[in-house]
């Protein structure tokens, strides 16, 4: 064996190769992990010994991979076999390539029932095995070049015509005509276009893998479902998908309407292509008629889908246009795979309408046929229609005081915002305890802060326009802020008290916290659930405006809807707005949908993070209230301290406003501060009603004055005026 390895090295003239070049040809193969393999392009010829492939146990005569340290060889094709394949003989699971039998001794191939001990495709679930020769079509391992005619050169004949000679092309089996290649010694003739067929192609009809030109053994074409009689066909050896040469490069008879640069043609020979079952790449639905195909990229479409509009305008989505794409996955980076209209799953391999400004996608038929909601728009005005609906209301909420330019980038360093009396400075250093005064969520960089007082605004809140056209409301909304620090608002979406930026409607008095405003979408992906969530159509309706200000607002009126229990907290949602899962019964209320991802509590020195499930939750309890906690419900956790808490315990009863604001009232001589009196405080009687102040209260800041009144009782609060 050692002498054979030495002879092999001498035969291939390894000393003439530089060490760098040898390293360039080295590959690592799973079947031979101890040493690298080197690609040998020379034909191996030895006088008395055959070189055997360790993958298929066949002799090696052409290019191979070899280990120079030990007697190990692989055909180039055996070394490049896919690690996973799918076969019709075993549809339930994919088959994985193993270097040897997973059983002791030899094994039986489930197709040919022969035994040997080399490469095998194996299903560990079913104990199903295919040797590699049975896993692929006959001839796969025998052909190393495009056409097996190596004895003589093929001569190009540019002008020769074959009249009534019965000469057939050795590849497509069609009569010879036009330019051709021929070997008269062997009576081999090839059309020029057949001889120059690419060895590998990619087609939309089978986008998963490339198709390779291989010898034909009466395979069935995956497109026209007919038996292939040509000598060669295009095959996917991973999925057993086959394609006629004529279906891979179809002839055409006339041009159809062109769209988006595609050259659609009706396929020739209608009798042959009659009643073809196919899936339209434009709309994703099936067809059983004569299809049209793009000769440039092999798209297969219905005749009526050739003239699909490139853009649509739909009232079901707030951005001005949705665009047609032949493959969702090529145009959209979003994880959203559910139709924004019918909420059913979208097949990413076929055509959809998508929004270029967000993750909205929709089935083609849903986009075009949803009543009067979809209005087609012509391509000529596409540039004008790309202006968003909000552009007409894009009055900024701030004024630029100072900015710098870094190349083409414009950096706004200082602004004047309508919500604050001082200028705000751009900042990129954040403290864990900081909250945005606009949305009351943990601050993220970059943000703007006041150098004089404790006021912060997140960049997303800064960029909110002063006036906004909202897809769920007929009238424009106005961004508002109250300078009275003791005044609290109730959000109609989540039904929670807050103090911060809000959008309001002057007609129907709708009031929405910007935290909820930024969270409300047609569909989105939440970290607490594996499937996308969507806003049901009937929930969108309750956010509509009362035209002219007459009648009861929809969010107040009883619509008869039974509000479901939220899957995050298992409480019947306090507001009428909630999300549903497009796949399962998961429902999410707005209160849980807008929970901050991070919280602080005085009982722990570290930040607490919103947690959806803990695999090691054996004895779940809340550290703060010391009561049991349902392990199926969301909670806040510090991993470092093993600290768990209910969301309401970690955040408190009023998480979306900052206590401590100081104001002076007419009926009291000293400034009063807004405070939250919890159970940790000794109850103090209200100076107006005499009841204990154990919730929101206004307390005197003078240390010599013990005055206190309820803030959440109107009669107590009114007494200050």
């Amino acid at each position: 064996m050692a002498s054979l390895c030495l002879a092999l090295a001498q035969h291939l003239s390894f000393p003439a190769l530089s060490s760098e070049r040898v390293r360039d040809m080295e590959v690592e193969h799973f079947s031979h992990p101890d040493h690298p393999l080197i690609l040998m392009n020379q034909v191996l010829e030895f006088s008395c010994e055959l070189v055997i492939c360790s993958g298929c146990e066949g002799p090696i005569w052409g290019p191979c991979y070899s280990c120079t340290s030990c007697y190990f060889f692989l055909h180039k094709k055996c070394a490049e076999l896919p690690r996973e394949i799918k076969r019709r003989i075993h549809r339930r699971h994919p088959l994985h390539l193993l270097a040897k039998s997973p059983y002791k001794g030899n094994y039986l191939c489930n197709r040919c029932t022969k035994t040997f001990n080399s490469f095998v495709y194996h299903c560990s679930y079913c104990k199903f095995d295919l040797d590699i020769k049975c896993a692929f079509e006959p001839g796969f391992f025998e052909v190393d070049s495009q056409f097996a005619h190596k004895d003589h050169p093929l001569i190009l004949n540019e002008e020769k015509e074959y009249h009534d000679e019965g000469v057939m092309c050795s590849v497509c089996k069609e009569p010879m005509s036009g330019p051709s290649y021929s070997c008269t010694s062997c009576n081999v003739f090839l059309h020029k276009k057949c001889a120059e067929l690419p060895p590998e192609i990619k087609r939309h009809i089978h986008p998963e893998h490339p198709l390779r030109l291989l010898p034909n053994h009466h395979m069935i074409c995956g497109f026209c479902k007919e038996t292939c009689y040509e000598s060669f066909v295009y095959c996917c050896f991973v999925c057993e998908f086959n394609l006629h040469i004529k279906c891979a490069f179809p002839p055409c008879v006339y041009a159809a309407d062109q769209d988006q640069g595609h050259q659609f043609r009706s396929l020739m020979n209608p009798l042959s292509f009659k009643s073809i079952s196919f899936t339209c790449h434009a709309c994703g639905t099936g067809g059983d008629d004569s299809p049209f195909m793009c000769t440039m990229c092999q798209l297969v479409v219905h005749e009526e889908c050739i003239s699909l509009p490139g853009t649509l305008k739909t009232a079901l989505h707030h951005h001005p246009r949705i665009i047609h794409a032949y493959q969702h996955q090529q145009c959209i980076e979003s994880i959203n795979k559910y139709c924004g209209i019918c909420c059913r799953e979208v097949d990413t391999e076929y055509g959809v309408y998508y929004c270029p400004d967000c993750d909205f996608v929709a089935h083609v038929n849903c986009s075009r046929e949803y009543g009067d909601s979809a209005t087609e728009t012509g391509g000529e005005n596409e540039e004008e229609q790309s202006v968003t609906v909000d552009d007409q209301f894009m009055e900024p909420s701030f004024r630029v005081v100072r900015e710098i330019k870094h190349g083409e980038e414009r950096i706004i360093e200082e602004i004047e915002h309508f919500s604050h009396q001082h200028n705000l400075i751009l900042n990129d250093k954040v403290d864990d305890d900081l909250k945005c005064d606009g949305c009351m969520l943990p601050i993220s960089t970059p943000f703007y802060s006041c150098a004089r007082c404790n006021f912060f605004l997140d960049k997303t809140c800064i960029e909110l326009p002063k006036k906004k056209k909202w897809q769920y409301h007929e009238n424009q909304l106005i961004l508002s802020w109250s300078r009275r620090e003791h005044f609290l608002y109730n959000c109609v979406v989540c039904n929670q008290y807050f103090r911060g930026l809000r959008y309001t409607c002057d007609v129907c008095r709708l009031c929405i916290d910007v935290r909820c405003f930024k969270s409300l979408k047609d569909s989105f992906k939440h970290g607490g659930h594996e499937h996308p969530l969507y806003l049901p159509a009937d929930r969108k309706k309750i956010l509509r405006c009362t035209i002219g200000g007459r009648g009861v607002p929809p969010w107040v009126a009883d619509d008869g809807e039974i509000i479901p229990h939220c899957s995050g907290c298992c409480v019947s949602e306090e507001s009428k707005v909630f999300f549903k899962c497009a796949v399962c019964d998961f429902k999410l209320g707005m209160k849980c949908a807008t929970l901050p991802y991070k919280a602080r509590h005085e009982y722990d020195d570290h930040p607490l993070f919103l947690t959806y499930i803990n695999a090691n939750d054996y004895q779940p309890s809340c550290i703060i209230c010391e009561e049991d906690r349902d392990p199926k419900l969301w909670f806040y956790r510090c991993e470092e301290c093993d600290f768990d808490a209910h969301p309401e315990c970690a955040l408190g009863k009023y998480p979306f406003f900052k206590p401590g604001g100081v104001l002076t009232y007419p009926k009291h001589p000293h400034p009063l501060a807004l405070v939250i009196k919890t159970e940790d405080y000794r109850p103090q009687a209200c100076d107006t009603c005499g009841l204990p102040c154990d919730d929101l209260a206004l307390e005197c800041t003078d240390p010599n004055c013990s005055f206190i009144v309820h803030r959440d009782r109107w009669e107590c609060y009114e007494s200050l005026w």
Side-chain angles (χ1 to χ4, degrees):
M1 185 180 299
S3 61
L4 179 60
C5 291
L6 179 60
L8 175 66
Q10 292 172 347
H11 175 77
L12 295 176
S13 303
F14 275 122
L17 294 173
S18 69
S19 59
E20 291 182 2
R21 186 177 176 187
V22 171
R23 283 197 299 270
D24 288 342
M25 294 190 296
E26 288 182 356
V27 296
E28 293 183 0
H29 198 270
F30 78 96
S31 66
H32 193 67
D34 297 333
H35 308 117
L37 303 181
I38 297 176
L39 178 61
M40 315 287 188
N41 286 314
Q42 293 90 337
V43 177
L44 302 182
E45 296 176 352
F46 296 97
S47 57
C48 299
E49 298 183 68
L50 283 177
V51 179
I52 302 299
C53 173
S54 299
C56 66
E57 296 186 329
I60 295 179
W61 301 106
C64 71
Y65 283 93
S66 169
C67 174
T68 57
S69 302
C70 54
Y71 190 70
F72 185 90
F73 304 92
L74 285 178
H75 285 116
K76 187 173 183 291
K77 279 199 172 181
C78 292
E80 296 171 356
L81 289 174
R83 296 295 300 274
E84 179 181 296
I85 61 172
K86 297 176 183 178
R87 289 295 179 261
R88 287 189 288 271
I89 195 174
H90 187 71
R91 295 178 183 273
R92 282 184 288 180
H93 308 112
L95 303 176
H96 297 274
L97 182 63
L98 303 180
K100 59 182 179 180
S101 167
Y103 320 109
K104 292 182 179 179
N106 295 332
Y107 66 93
L108 281 175
C109 170
N110 287 84
R111 173 172 276 175
C112 67
T113 67
K114 295 179 180 178
T115 63
F116 64 97
N117 192 26
S118 56
F119 281 8
V120 58
Y121 279 99
H122 173 70
C123 174
S124 58
Y125 297 102
C126 307
K127 308 303 180 191
F128 182 90
D129 305 285
L130 282 181
D131 65 57
I132 60 174
K133 291 185 178 179
C134 289
F136 297 96
E137 298 291 347
F140 176 80
F141 291 99
E142 283 73 19
V143 178
D144 291 320
S145 63
Q146 187 167 340
F147 302 113
H149 189 74
K150 303 176 182 178
D151 298 330
H152 308 106
L154 296 174
I155 308 301
L156 175 62
N157 306 300
E158 287 284 2
E159 300 179 357
K160 183 174 181 179
E161 295 290 335
Y162 299 85
H163 299 291
D164 301 323
E165 296 182 23
V167 180
M168 311 295 285
C169 174
S170 299
V171 173
C172 67
K173 301 301 182 183
E174 296 288 336
M176 292 297 299
S177 63
S180 64
Y181 285 92
S182 63
C183 173
T184 54
S185 301
C186 303
N187 203 30
V188 171
F189 301 92
L190 302 174
H191 290 118
K192 184 174 184 289
K193 63 181 181 180
C194 291
E196 296 173 357
L197 285 171
E200 183 175 293
I201 60 172
K202 291 184 179 180
R203 290 295 181 262
H204 275 279
I205 196 171
H206 187 71
E208 297 88 353
H209 310 110
L211 305 176
R212 296 184 181 179
L213 191 61
L214 294 174
N216 178 25
H217 294 270
H218 301 294
M219 303 173 190
I220 303 298
C221 177
F223 175 64
C224 68
K225 311 303 181 187
E226 294 181 357
T227 302
C228 304
Y229 293 108
E230 299 100 327
S231 298
F232 287 80
V233 292
Y234 281 99
C235 306
C236 172
F237 58 82
V238 177
C239 304
E240 287 189 311
F241 180 88
N242 308 308
L243 200 61
H244 270 126
I245 292 175
K246 67 178 181 180
C247 292
F249 303 95
C252 309
V253 290
Y254 67 89
D257 294 336
Q258 306 308 311
D259 178 53
Q260 300 185 17
H262 294 286
Q263 301 291 322
F264 288 111
R265 303 286 191 272
S266 175
L267 292 172
M268 205 177 199
N269 192 0
L271 293 176
S272 172
F273 286 95
K274 203 170 183 179
S275 300
I276 291 175
S277 295
F278 67 98
T279 302
C280 174
H281 284 100
C283 68
T285 61
D288 55 4
D289 202 351
S290 179
F292 280 66
M293 181 178 284
C294 173
T295 56
M296 299 173 66
C297 56
Q298 304 301 305
L299 289 171
V300 181
V301 300
H302 297 113
E303 183 175 4
E304 61 270 22
C305 288
I306 293 173
S307 56
L308 277 176
T311 61
L312 290 176
K313 182 178 180 181
T314 173
L316 296 178
H317 186 59
H318 58 288
H319 289 122
R321 62 169 183 162
I322 51 178
I323 301 173
H324 181 256
Y326 284 96
Q327 274 191 289
H328 165 208
Q329 61 186 8
Q330 291 182 350
C331 302
I332 308 171
E333 296 179 359
S334 166
I335 54 174
N336 184 23
K337 294 183 180 180
Y338 293 87
C339 176
I341 297 175
C342 71
C343 301
R344 296 188 179 91
E345 190 168 5
V346 170
D347 192 333
T348 59
E349 300 293 341
Y350 298 101
V352 295
Y353 278 96
Y354 76 97
C355 177
D357 301 315
C358 67
D359 62 355
F360 177 89
V361 293
H363 295 116
V364 169
N365 291 338
C366 290
S367 301
R368 300 194 69 197
E369 299 175 11
Y370 199 78
D372 297 329
S373 298
T375 305
E376 296 184 10
T377 62
E380 294 179 2
N381 298 325
E382 184 176 327
E383 199 169 303
E384 294 179 12
Q385 291 158 357
S386 67
V387 180
T388 65
V389 175
D390 300 326
D391 284 349
Q392 55 184 316
F393 304 115
M394 282 297 288
E395 178 188 345
S397 57
F398 63 92
R399 182 181 68 84
V400 177
V401 177
R402 186 175 73 252
E403 66 177 16
I404 60 173
K405 289 186 177 180
H406 185 71
E408 296 183 358
E409 187 179 4
R410 175 185 174 221
I411 301 174
I412 301 175
E413 281 194 323
E414 185 176 351
I415 63 169
E416 178 187 317
H417 198 268
F418 82 99
S419 65
H420 195 62
Q421 66 270 30
H422 307 132
N423 289 352
L424 304 179
I425 311 297
L426 182 64
N427 204 330
D428 60 357
K429 294 181 180 179
V430 64
D431 188 284
D432 282 340
D433 295 328
L434 295 184
K435 279 187 176 181
C436 171
D437 284 86
C439 60
M440 294 297 165
L441 294 175
I443 204 90
S444 59
T445 57
F447 64 97
Y448 288 84
S449 61
C450 178
R452 295 185 183 181
C453 52
N454 195 29
F455 187 88
F456 310 94
L457 278 182
D458 199 291
K459 190 171 182 287
T460 58
C461 288
I462 289 287
E463 293 171 346
L464 290 171
K466 198 68 167 44
K467 296 179 180 180
K468 177 81 172 179
K469 180 67 178 176
W470 200 32
Q471 70 264 34
Y472 307 123
H473 204 71
E474 288 85 347
N475 292 311
Q476 67 176 359
L477 303 181
I478 300 173
L479 189 64
S480 307
W481 173 273
S482 175
R483 293 190 182 274
R484 299 198 62 82
E485 298 188 44
H486 295 172
F487 202 92
L488 302 182
Y489 297 88
N490 184 262
C491 176
V492 302
V493 174
C494 67
N495 200 26
Q496 295 188 88
Y497 284 106
F498 73 95
R499 167 161 178 77
L501 291 171
R502 67 192 185 280
Y503 274 108
T504 58
C505 174
D506 288 342
V507 177
C508 64
R509 303 301 173 190
L510 179 80
C511 176
I512 303 177
D513 183 355
V514 295
R515 172 180 48 87
C516 290
F517 184 88
K518 292 189 289 185
S519 300
L520 268 177
K521 301 177 181 178
D522 290 340
S523 62
F524 76 109
K525 186 74 172 66
H526 194 281
H529 191 60
E530 65 268 31
H531 306 132
L533 306 177
Y534 72 95
L535 186 63
D538 59 343
R539 298 301 90 195
K540 298 177 186 179
K541 292 179 181 177
I542 67 172
L543 297 171
R544 299 184 69 178
C545 186
T546 51
I547 305 299
R550 295 184 295 272
V552 180
W555 63 88
V556 177
D558 183 10
D559 61 353
E561 175 75 14
I562 299 175
I563 307 302
H565 283 76
C566 171
S567 301
C569 62
C570 204
V571 175
S572 182
E573 182 57 31
E574 298 174 3
S575 80
K576 296 182 178 182
V577 181
F578 54 86
F579 292 97
K580 286 184 177 181
C581 176
V583 178
C584 62
D585 292 330
F586 184 91
K587 297 176 180 65
L588 187 63
M590 282 303 299
K591 187 174 181 179
C592 286
T594 58
L595 283 173
Y597 74 95
K598 183 172 65 174
R600 279 283 189 175
H601 196 274
E602 59 184 344
Y603 286 8
D604 195 281
D605 295 331
H606 310 106
L608 308 177
F609 292 95
L610 183 62
T611 307
Y612 311 113
I613 191 169
N614 183 9
N616 300 319
D617 222 346
Y618 302 115
Q619 294 181 328
S621 63
C622 176
I623 302 296
I624 298 174
C625 69
E626 299 181 352
E627 294 184 4
D628 291 340
R629 183 177 54 76
D630 190 336
K632 297 178 182 178
L633 303 182
W634 297 359
F635 60 100
Y636 280 91
R637 174 172 177 78
C638 172
E639 195 70 38
E640 188 172 344
C641 303
D642 197 23
F643 182 101
D644 298 339
H646 294 115
E648 58 271 22
C649 294
L651 298 174
K653 188 177 180 181
Y654 302 101
F656 301 117
F657 76 89
K658 291 181 180 179
V662 177
L663 288 176
T664 301
Y665 291 84
K667 296 296 184 179
H668 189 74
H670 309 130
L672 301 180
L674 182 62
V675 296
I676 302 175
K677 293 294 184 180
T678 64
E679 296 178 356
D680 295 338
Y681 292 90
R682 187 179 66 179
Q684 190 175 348
C686 173
D687 282 77
T688 299
C689 67
L691 297 174
C693 290
D694 54 2
D695 206 330
L696 285 176
L698 296 174
E699 188 174 38
C700 184
T701 57
D702 191 329
N704 299 318
C705 179
S706 60
F707 180 85
I708 189 171
V709 293
H710 289 105
R711 171 59 186 86
D712 54 342
R713 286 174 177 262
W714 176 247
E715 60 272 18
C716 299
Y717 181 66
E718 189 182 29
S719 67
L720 294 172
W721 298 91

